[in-house]
């Protein structure tokens, strides 16, 4: 029987606070440190390993976190989710993004359908559509092949698919599985759509309108903006646009689209990269096989997250170390630092994934919680970040836990040797150096050059950014965030905090304002 | 006589802690709120206003901050900086980035030169060079015009210039002052250079190598990478590359470059957008007039920052409200949220500018401070952020102060009316709505839909992102950060925190490792 308790109601959490703290600088020094790096590593799918040697934990802390995992029924909650229980209590919905990439538990029936069959059917439809586009069977009004795809969406319909596209673009070019250039329009600022439309060949572009509800104001506005631009060029918008939406949305059966692919209410926007929301653009850009590999990688990692042994479950371990840092050690922010240019926008996607999921002050029953929940997440790729905000990470007054990601190989295979090492070696030497510099610091009599150390980090090490590893990496973070939500007893799958702004914006546009809101509207000449 | 005291040694700071706290939700409601929006506004240069109505301050708090500004001699310190005193105590250097855009105080003589003359001379040299490139007088080996410029730099040699280029690209295209496409290579990850080189026409590209010292490892590595690619295409690198560096660097007189433009040790990397570091790429891309306007806008804002009346000095006011939020109210993170797609990468630049300047734990004399200093800075453009991390900002357990930026007009002038309003109106309605939603919240019996409010924000409102306003906006943040550094009594102009990582990375590359560092190197196959 699953027990949904607040974190501070758990005996193991109270005991966790009493466990002796680890002196990270000390345990990471000398041979002890070397032993930690060897031992504090958990294999993940697709050749990844999650290494937490440089986190301020030891066997005592991990033992207590393992008790917490058990007491909070973390894996049982994940199993319940996979089995189709109503885990999104706020909106009374199932949570099925893992089912888009594989079925790990029972059949899930909802709305009279086997949901796994439904997701597979959409993948098949997308694969067939993309094949026809690539083969020149589906063409533009002049009978010419489409060369470009442009997604119109915002939030989860933009950040995840965009980050995944950018992560695989060069890999696909290198591996001859690159079919179409992809672009993205998201912001309601008209300069966004104008700029993108000016940079692409619209006559040979398929636009993908992505809105689950079919009512997202920014997205519908940008659709109208694009339609206007197409019409002005003498093109027929309905011959240039497909829709990704839910079957019940007004877009689903509209004649305005060449085709429609479906997601449903059980896929949250920020978890939708493996649904049709990411599938349409990735399948058109890279082909169905690449998208299938991406899903397969995610499915493999989803499986590992079922392991009840905390030391063998990289997602749950990463999650609980984060809870320990947040609720016991008191750190408020986490930086995500991929040492890979391909993962350029991966931190922006994780920022939404994490902050929108767990930035909550009430538990899943709508009662206030007495502890802090989701941290602020930010990040940029290394080595760029090193020359930017790492100063504060090393010598600032607050401690910011760090999550590094590194790959042994680059994507393009191009490299040069300068001063005895390749660029790839320099990249990796930097991430290794940073972990140790943060953990161990270095004494200097000149305090301005002194490094206190004691700044915790973990690293996920992989072979290369490719479709399968990218899927596994995405799954890792999705499942980490899910486990943290379970530990904090919040509902990670709704986002009521975005509603008030929407309502007030509508009031401004309809002139229904007073007080400060009216004054701001006046100042902005709305 | 200027007194350099720690923040907690100031009488006014101790008194500030005792001033009654403001109930933001209450003071921003109803007509009181409207009055605040009207009154809590400071004119800036170039038509901007800094509005702090939605900050948790009132006349009592501002009075005390004004005392603090006086007691800490904030304006006098800025004057000393302008007059060429050694403000960067750690590196024993002057701090002269404001002098690149105008001279507000005495002549500054250093290294036997009038430094204002030196900066103007570099601007003139860049203008003449760009004019010849644009006119086809300086051409490639085939006698063809250069069409593209590509900057090779990292950190301050990348983030600022890149953010400024992106901010002005569409404006310049619209206003017929667009000459050359610009691209940027920064990361030592070889996939960065490969990807950029694959996307541009290298035979018609001028590369700009930017390194003040001439020794930045990432940048020299990428230079070699680019040279290798040029050579493989049968092109002569020295006919395709210019340098921006200091006169004393090994690059300054090398035959490897078509031309060299100079900065000096008195311009910190993160403050170098208005020096040759930003000037070369912006002048080539947009012409000398645009770069001159950008400098003129910055110079105007620099002037306002000299005002000793806190209520008329937007930079000092913004700075001290930030100090109040950090050191009295206890907030650890600040989000920067421009409602303008053109400012897409402006937050990434501010992240470096702020965190690298003030992420320090020792004061300017190298003594530890007993209070927190620079916050974590992050941000994405609105409305994208609304569909991403705003959930946590509205309903998370921590309060994150917000800095909005909004413009009455877009850059392209393209817009469509949907459901009775333009995209620009929707964009602005959203920012107005967000400020009020964050400040005032909204009660709901269902606590999951409840908004506590009390979340402080300010907004900078301008007419349009153009060269002059962009300069003023940049100056605002540079000077805000300078004043905060003065208030915290830290040296905002060095970055010793980046050194240890560099040293350890070199050790890895030379095989000089043991303990944890050796193990990480092994795991990463370096």
């Amino acid at each position: 029987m699953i027990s949904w308790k607040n974190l501070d109601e758990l005996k193991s959490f109270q005991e966790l606070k009493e466990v002796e703290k680890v002196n990270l600088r000390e345990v990471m020094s000398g041979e002890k440190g070397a032993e930690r790096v060897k031992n504090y590593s958990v294999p993940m799918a697709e050749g990844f390993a999650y290494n937490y040697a440089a986190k301020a934990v030891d066997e005592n802390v991990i033992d207590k976190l393992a008790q917490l995992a058990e007491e909070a029924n973390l894996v049982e909650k994940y199993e319940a989710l996979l089995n189709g229980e109503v885990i999104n209590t706020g909106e009374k919905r199932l949570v099925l993004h893992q089912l888009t990439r594989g079925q790990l538990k029972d059949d899930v029936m909802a709305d009279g359908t086997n949901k796994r069959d439904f997701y597979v059917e959409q993948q098949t439809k997308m694969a067939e559509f993309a094949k026809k586009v690539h083969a020149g069977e589906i063409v533009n009004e002049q009978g010419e092949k489409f060369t470009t795809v442009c997604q119109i969406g915002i939030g989860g319909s933009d950040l995840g698919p965009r980050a995944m596209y950018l992560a695989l673009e060069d890999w696909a070019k290198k591996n001859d599985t690159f079919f179409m250039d992809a672009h993205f329009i998201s912001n309601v600022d008209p300069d966004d759509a104008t700029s993108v439309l000016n940079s692409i060949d619209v006559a040979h572009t398929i636009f993908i309108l992505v809105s689950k509800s079919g009512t997202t104001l920014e997205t519908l506005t940008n659709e109208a903006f694009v339609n206007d631009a197409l019409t002005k060029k003498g093109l027929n918008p309905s011959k240039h646009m497909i829709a990704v939406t839910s079957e019940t949305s007004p877009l689903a059966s509209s004649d305005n689209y060449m085709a429609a692919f479906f997601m449903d209410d059980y896929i949250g926007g920020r978890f939708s990269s493996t649904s049709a929301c990411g599938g349409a653009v990735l399948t058109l850009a890279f082909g169905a096989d690449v998208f299938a590999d991406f899903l397969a990688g995610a499915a493999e990692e989803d499986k590992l997250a079922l392991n009840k042994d905390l030391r063998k479950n990289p997602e749950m371990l990463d999650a609980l170390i984060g809870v320990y840092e947040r609720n016991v050690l008191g750190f408020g922010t986490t930086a995500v630092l991929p040492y890979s240019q391909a993962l350029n926008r991966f931190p922006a996607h994780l920022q939404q994934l994490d902050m929108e999921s767990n930035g909550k002050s009430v538990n899943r029953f709508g009662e206030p919680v007495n502890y802090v929940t989701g941290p602020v997440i930010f990040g940029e790729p290394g080595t760029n970040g090193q020359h930017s905000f790492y100063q504060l990470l090393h010598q600032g007054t607050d401690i910011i836990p760090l999550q590094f990601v590194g790959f042994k190989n680059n994507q393009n295979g191009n490299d040069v040797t300068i001063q005895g090492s390749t660029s790839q070696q320099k990249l990796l030497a930097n991430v290794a150096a940073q972990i140790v510099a943060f953990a161990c610091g270095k004494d200097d009599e000149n305090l301005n050059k002194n490094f206190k150390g004691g700044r915790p980090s973990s690293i996920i090490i992989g072979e290369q950014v490719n479709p399968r590893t990218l899927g596994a990496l995405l799954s890792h973070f999705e499942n980490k965030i899910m486990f943290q939500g379970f530990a904090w007893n919040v509902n990670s799958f709704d986002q009521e905090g975005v509603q008030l702004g929407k309502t007030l914006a509508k009031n401004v546009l309809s002139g229904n304002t007073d007080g400060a809101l009216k004054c701001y509207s006046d100042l902005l000449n709305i």
Side-chain angles (χ1 to χ4, degrees), chain A:
Chain A
M1 186 61 193
I2 291 175
S3 134
W4 297 97
K5 282 188 185 164
N6 282 359
L7 180 65
D8 56 359
E9 293 175 299
L10 301 177
K11 183 163 165 281
S12 51
F13 176 68
Q14 298 307 334
E15 290 169 0
L16 179 65
K17 293 193 273 187
E18 306 307 321
V19 176
E20 196 179 343
K21 305 298 177 286
V22 173
N23 182 330
L24 181 61
R25 183 169 176 161
E26 195 205 304
V27 298
M28 280 297 283
S29 298
E31 278 314 301
K32 274 196 312 264
E35 285 303 311
R36 278 176 71 95
V37 180
K38 282 176 204 153
N39 296 331
Y40 281 22
S41 175
V42 188
M44 295 169 55
E46 305 301 337
F48 279 114
Y50 170 68
N51 193 301
Y52 58 103
K55 286 292 193 186
V57 298
D58 60 9
E59 295 304 331
N60 295 331
V61 173
I62 301 292
D63 282 344
K64 199 52 74 180
L65 292 176
Q67 286 175 31
L68 197 157
E70 201 172 331
E71 188 181 358
N73 307 136
L74 295 189
V75 171
E76 290 83 352
K77 287 171 184 171
Y78 176 34
E79 289 172 333
L81 180 149
L82 293 174
N83 280 327
E85 286 192 28
V86 178
I87 295 295
N88 177 354
T89 43
E91 299 174 307
K92 300 195 173 42
R93 291 176 180 169
L94 324 189
V95 175
L96 299 183
H97 52 273
Q98 284 98 343
L99 198 63
T100 60
R101 50 233 194 187
Q103 180 157 346
L104 297 176
K105 290 280 167 184
D106 300 343
D107 278 356
V108 178
M109 303 296 295
D111 312 331
T113 324
N114 177 309
K115 294 308 295 186
R116 174 66 189 157
D117 292 347
F118 169 76
Y119 297 131
V120 171
E121 187 193 339
Q122 298 308 312
Q123 289 159 17
T124 307
K125 274 170 56 187
M126 291 186 290
E128 285 166 4
F129 181 82
K131 204 172 163 188
K132 286 181 186 166
V133 171
H134 300 157
E137 294 167 31
I138 293 175
V139 290
N140 77 357
E141 296 136 299
Q142 282 69 47
E144 298 159 341
K145 271 176 99 160
F146 288 106
T147 58
T148 303
V149 50
C150 180
Q151 178 129 326
I152 307 170
I154 194 164
S157 303
D158 170 60
L159 290 165
R162 191 196 293 251
M164 301 310 134
Y165 172 79
L166 292 173
L168 296 179
E169 184 180 8
D170 281 0
W171 179 90
K173 285 178 178 164
K174 178 82 183 167
N175 289 278
D176 293 327
T177 178
F178 185 82
F179 295 98
M180 299 172 82
D181 229 15
H183 297 263
F184 296 84
I185 296 173
S186 54
N187 201 335
V188 77
D189 180 346
D191 286 341
D192 187 15
T194 300
S195 187
V196 173
L197 290 173
N198 283 342
S199 73
I200 63 178
D201 171 11
V202 290
H204 299 88
T205 298
I206 294 181
F207 293 88
I208 310 176
L209 183 76
V210 185
S211 171
K212 183 164 64 177
S213 64
T215 62
T216 315
L217 183 64
E218 283 91 341
T219 299
L220 295 184
T221 300
N222 277 322
E223 179 194 20
F225 199 100
V226 167
N227 284 350
D228 186 60
L230 290 170
T231 306
K232 281 182 180 150
K233 285 184 189 281
L235 301 166
N236 179 349
S238 70
K239 305 286 184 198
H240 282 268
M241 201 167 299
I242 64 176
V244 173
T245 188
S246 66
E247 286 180 293
T248 54
S249 117
L251 313 178
S253 56
S254 163
D255 290 337
N256 293 339
Y257 310 103
M258 304 160 72
F261 305 105
F262 301 124
M263 54 193 299
D264 59 32
D265 283 344
Y266 314 131
I267 310 290
R270 56 194 173 272
F271 295 96
S272 68
S273 292
T274 53
S275 77
C277 171
V281 63
L282 296 177
T283 305
L284 281 165
F286 307 133
D289 290 348
V290 166
F291 187 59
D293 280 348
F294 173 60
L295 299 186
E300 285 305 308
E301 197 64 50
D302 288 343
K303 256 183 236 169
L304 291 187
L306 278 167
N307 201 316
K308 288 198 179 168
D309 182 346
L310 181 67
R311 287 177 171 85
K312 292 181 178 164
N313 184 326
E315 288 66 49
M316 196 160 71
L317 183 58
D318 193 358
L320 290 185
I321 291 174
V323 169
Y324 177 64
E325 290 177 330
R326 183 84 169 118
N327 298 93
V328 178
L329 302 180
F331 306 143
T333 305
T334 293
V336 184
L337 307 163
Y339 275 62
S340 162
Q341 188 63 21
L343 297 183
N344 199 14
R345 289 298 284 170
F346 200 75
H349 173 55
L350 288 190
Q351 193 172 57
Q352 175 186 24
L353 197 60
D354 204 322
M355 293 173 71
E356 198 170 39
S357 296
N358 291 334
K360 311 278 164 76
S361 301
V362 299
N363 70 10
R364 54 192 293 106
F365 309 110
E367 300 153 355
V369 295
N370 299 314
Y371 42 83
V372 293
T373 59
V376 168
I377 302 287
F378 75 102
E380 292 284 337
T383 54
N384 294 5
Q386 289 178 207
H387 289 260
S388 168
F389 51 81
Y390 277 37
Q391 164 66 39
L392 183 144
L393 303 183
H394 279 289
Q395 291 189 319
T397 48
D398 292 349
I399 289 183
I400 318 289
L402 312 170
Q403 183 127 34
F404 292 104
V405 184
F407 297 88
K408 295 175 197 168
N409 305 298
N410 60 63
Q411 286 189 320
N412 288 292
N414 262 353
D415 213 338
V416 287
T417 298
I418 317 286
Q419 295 177 15
S421 59
T422 63
S423 291
Q424 181 68 25
Q425 287 171 323
K426 290 185 184 76
L427 179 71
L428 296 177
N430 272 285
V431 71
Q434 291 295 337
I435 296 172
V436 174
F438 280 117
C440 299
K442 184 169 174 293
D443 290 331
D444 197 301
E445 279 187 19
N446 177 346
L447 292 185
N448 196 31
K449 297 175 191 283
N450 189 63
F451 292 80
K452 282 189 195 159
R455 292 167 190 243
S457 69
S458 63
I459 180 166
I460 294 172
I461 298 175
E463 295 294 327
Q464 187 194 40
V465 181
N466 62 39
R468 292 190 73 105
T469 58
L470 185 67
L473 194 66
L474 178 70
S475 158
H476 174 77
F477 285 102
E478 287 184 357
N479 290 321
K480 170 192 172 177
I481 289 162
M482 171 192 73
F483 282 127
Q484 289 193 327
F486 290 157
W488 285 318
N489 206 29
V490 301
N491 176 7
S492 302
F493 304 103
D494 68 356
Q495 55 283 322
E496 292 294 342
V498 306
Q499 296 303 328
L500 177 58
K502 285 189 195 177
T503 306
L504 294 183
K506 277 186 193 159
N507 290 349
V508 173
L509 291 171
S510 61
N512 174 23
T513 58
D514 59 7
L517 190 54
K518 180 170 187 328
C519 282
Y520 282 117
S521 303
D522 291 346
L523 285 180
L524 288 159
N525 276 4
I526 303 169

